[in-house]
Amino acid sequence: MNDKFFDLAREKQDRMINGAIEVFAKNGYKHASTDDMVKTVGVSKGLWFHYFGSKEGIYVFVYDYCVKYMLLELSTIVDENETDYFELIRQIAKTKIKVGRSYPYLTIFLETAAQEPEQALVAKTAESRQIYEERVAAYLRTAEIENVSDKGRRERIKKMLDFTISSIIREKTAQAADAEAIFREIKAYIDLVRDMTLNLA
């Protein structure tokens, strides 16, 4: 990656980063096209390759950037001492929505990248991937659904809520929905699931 990329105006940097994130999030690495990035951003293919060298170079840079950005935002919103699972998930969701204001497809890209089959990319993003996964796991490790005694049920509730939040973000991002509206819908589901667990106690 060419460090001169950071000499560009911030607006142009963000347009290029956002364009790459969106194309990779929607298509995965294999089917992502630099031609699509050119169309999305309006920056010539030559400029992409001047700064990043290759499609792989773009991907690795964008992945590392997304991890650093997300972790920074998580550190400002999430209370690492929170022990209530539903409150912690609300804080993480709030972070994702905040991040989405600047980079709408960032959360979706990180989810897609977690399933990336290209082993060369997995190897080149391994360090950032491990840092991100360990940090998120550390947040989640401190919180539990206290009123549900059965561990199997707790894990299914967590998975159900995770899938629900992910689906809402994907659906509403594609619709270019307002960030506050997305968060309100996510919070409504979190509250609904929290209330439902009271009947499982």
Side-chain angles (χ1 to χ4, degrees), residues 98-144:
K98 182 184 176 189
V99 164
R101 289 192 183 104
S102 299
Y103 301 103
Y105 283 87
L106 189 150
T107 295
I108 299 168
F109 171 61
L110 287 177
E111 288 181 0
T112 303
Q115 308 301 321
E116 178 55 56
E118 296 284 337
Q119 289 307 303
L121 289 177
V122 172
K124 290 188 176 182
T125 58
E127 186 177 347
S128 289
R129 185 183 304 267
Q130 182 177 359
I131 290 169
Y132 179 66
E133 290 175 354
E134 287 179 356
R135 191 71 200 111
V136 172
Y139 284 129
L140 295 172
R141 200 175 299 123
T142 63
E144 192 51 87

Side-chain angles (χ1 to χ4, degrees), residues 3-162:
D3 288 338
K4 289 189 179 296
F5 174 73
F6 294 108
D7 292 337
L8 291 172
R10 184 54 193 258
E11 184 273 335
K12 192 166 192 176
Q13 289 179 41
D14 277 350
R15 274 197 298 125
M16 292 180 74
I17 291 168
N18 253 324
I21 291 171
E22 181 176 347
V23 171
F24 285 129
K26 288 179 174 178
N27 303 288
Y29 177 77
K30 184 176 181 180
H31 299 291
S33 162
T34 49
D35 288 336
D36 289 338
M37 294 178 199
V38 169
K39 290 176 193 171
T40 301
V41 180
V43 173
S44 73
K45 188 184 287 190
L47 204 57
W48 283 102
F49 287 112
H50 171 71
Y51 288 116
F52 300 105
S54 64
K55 184 172 85 168
E56 183 180 275
I58 299 169
Y59 184 97
V60 171
F61 169 79
V62 167
Y63 183 82
D64 290 344
Y65 183 92
C66 288
V67 165
K68 288 173 184 171
Y69 193 88
M70 180 63 86
L71 289 179
L72 177 63
E73 293 300 327
L74 283 167
S75 72
T76 65
I77 293 176
V78 177
D79 177 2
E80 59 187 34
N81 297 313
E82 180 58 61
T83 58
D84 179 79
Y85 180 78
F86 295 106
E87 173 56 24
L88 181 62
I89 289 300
R90 187 194 67 78
Q91 291 175 12
I92 292 173
K94 186 176 182 181
T95 305
K96 290 177 178 180
I97 301 308
K98 182 184 176 189
V99 164
R101 289 192 183 104
S102 299
Y103 301 103
Y105 283 87
L106 189 150
T107 295
I108 299 168
F109 171 61
L110 287 177
E111 288 181 0
T112 303
Q115 308 301 321
E116 178 55 56
E118 296 284 337
Q119 289 307 303
L121 289 177
V122 172
K124 290 188 176 182
T125 58
E127 186 177 347
S128 289
R129 185 183 304 267
Q130 182 177 359
I131 290 169
Y132 179 66
E133 290 175 354
E134 287 179 356
R135 191 71 200 111
V136 172
Y139 284 129
L140 295 172
R141 200 175 299 123
T142 63
E144 192 51 87
I145 304 173
E146 299 287 350
N147 57 318
V148 178
S149 58
D150 182 83
K151 184 178 180 182
R153 280 189 167 187
R154 288 199 307 266
E155 294 309 308
R156 285 190 288 275
I157 290 166
K158 291 175 184 179
K159 188 172 283 191
M160 179 178 68
L161 204 47
D162 187 47

Side-chain angles (χ1 to χ4, degrees), residues 186-201:
I186 288 172
K187 185 177 180 302
Y189 275 95
I190 293 171
D191 291 345
L192 175 64
V193 175
R194 183 202 292 267
D195 292 345
M196 289 168 61
T197 64
L198 296 175
N199 297 319
L200 298 176

